[in-house]
Amino acid sequence: MSWTPEIDAAVSALIARVAQEAIAPRYRQLSEADVINKAVNDVVTVADTHAERLLSEGLATILPQATIVGEEAAHADPALMERLGDGLCWIIDPLDGTNNFAAGKPPFGVLIALAEHGQCVAGWIHDVPSGRLCTAQLGRGAFVNGKPVRATPTSQVPPVAAISTVFMDAAQREAMRQHILPHYSVVDIPRCAAEQYPRLVLGVNDVSIFERTLAWDHAAGVLFVNEAGGKAARPDGRPYRVDQLGEKGLIAASTPALFDAMAERLAGLPG
């Protein structure tokens, strides 16, 4: 595997520097011209583009042989998505939670993943406002600010669920409302994967469902949950891979048992 402690330290330092240079100074300082509507319920800011450029430049220096797929670069050139299964690939979400950032509120962060042949082998999840850094390496565990961490469920009854219905159709939302939500204590989603995945490990939430599963949103978080002893996978239990283009549906939970319970309920939905 291409991950090394030296690469880990270099990426961590790069993320912290870029957050301070490109993101933090623009927080609550954006003008109308600094925010562009990219799609429905999806914006991009000058902080996104600046951060992605700096991260891409830095990652190219750290591991020159790796392909780089950034969220904004892929939006401009969708063909870049076909490179996610390359032998080595950096995957960048330069500013996750952009809608929050543009509205002048947390959470928002930076997500970086390193994949080999479509499998995520290392991930970095940086919360910009607090400076918290969650990292994971395949087979080596999960860490928060360098200290090992194990996923902790809330132990609440019913379990705490944060369910993203933003990209579901009306029928899916209604099925969720009738057949899934009554079994859980439902809380609002943070609209930021860089916050949602840590919540599953740090005892805040028990389970989450995602419909859209783009690599830059989920690669690092899925690895972090799994390496912490939770379970994140496709609803049928198949591993999440970054090169599963267009595939939808993902469950992440603080324990395998919580994952299994949600998967069983989803499998039983009508239609």
Side-chain angles (χ1 to χ4, degrees):
M1 191 177 74
S2 57
W3 179 91
T4 65
E6 291 75 20
I7 288 176
D8 182 55
V11 175
S12 299
L14 173 66
I15 293 171
R17 177 177 64 81
V18 171
Q20 289 305 306
E21 288 184 14
I23 300 174
R26 293 185 168 102
Y27 185 43
R28 296 175 177 165
Q29 302 296 321
L30 296 171
S31 67
E32 287 188 14
D34 292 333
V35 182
I36 299 171
N37 288 316
K38 188 165 61 172
V40 177
N41 293 320
D42 197 7
V43 299
V44 63
T45 74
V46 291
D48 296 73
T49 53
H50 188 196
E52 183 164 307
R53 178 174 60 80
L54 294 179
L55 289 166
S56 297
E57 291 171 355
L59 294 172
T61 300
I62 294 169
L63 205 59
Q65 65 270 39
T67 299
I68 297 175
V69 177
E71 178 179 5
E72 305 313 326
H75 179 73
D77 179 13
L80 192 59
M81 298 283 284
E82 302 293 336
R83 303 293 303 276
L84 286 167
D86 283 6
L88 282 173
C89 183
W90 290 113
I91 303 164
I92 305 172
D93 189 337
L95 179 50
D96 185 59
T98 301
N99 284 7
N100 297 337
F101 179 81
K105 62 182 182 181
F108 53 91
V110 179
L111 293 165
I112 302 290
L114 177 62
E116 293 186 3
H117 301 288
Q119 181 182 32
C120 184
V121 297
W124 294 260
I125 306 172
H126 178 70
D127 180 71
V128 176
S130 72
R132 181 190 65 202
L133 179 65
C134 301
T135 60
Q137 301 90 43
L138 184 64
R140 291 181 168 87
F143 306 84
V144 176
N145 295 332
K147 296 181 179 180
V149 65
R150 298 294 293 175
T152 303
T154 68
S155 298
Q156 292 189 34
V157 180
V160 178
I163 299 175
S164 177
T165 62
V166 176
F167 299 102
M168 294 181 182
D169 59 33
Q172 287 175 301
R173 290 193 188 99
E174 183 59 19
M176 287 287 165
R177 187 187 68 80
Q178 289 191 30
H179 302 285
I180 302 297
L181 302 191
H183 299 283
Y184 295 92
S185 175
V186 180
V187 295
D188 289 339
I189 61 169
R191 296 209 65 181
C192 175
E195 173 64 17
Q196 188 61 63
Y197 282 103
R199 287 183 181 183
L200 292 166
V201 171
L202 300 175
V204 179
N205 293 167
D206 289 306
V207 62
S208 290
I209 300 174
F210 306 94
E211 178 70 3
R212 190 177 74 168
T213 61
L214 296 168
W216 44 77
D217 287 327
H218 296 282
V222 166
L223 183 66
F224 181 64
V225 168
N226 285 330
E227 287 295 320
K231 184 173 181 179
R234 296 296 183 182
D236 61 4
R238 287 178 298 118
Y240 174 82
R241 293 177 53 85
V242 304
D243 56 355
Q244 294 166 324
L245 303 182
E247 188 160 350
K248 296 180 179 180
L250 182 65
I251 302 171
S254 57
T255 70
L258 286 162
F259 177 98
D260 292 343
M262 178 63 82
E264 184 177 351
R265 290 191 173 103
L266 287 178
L269 288 179

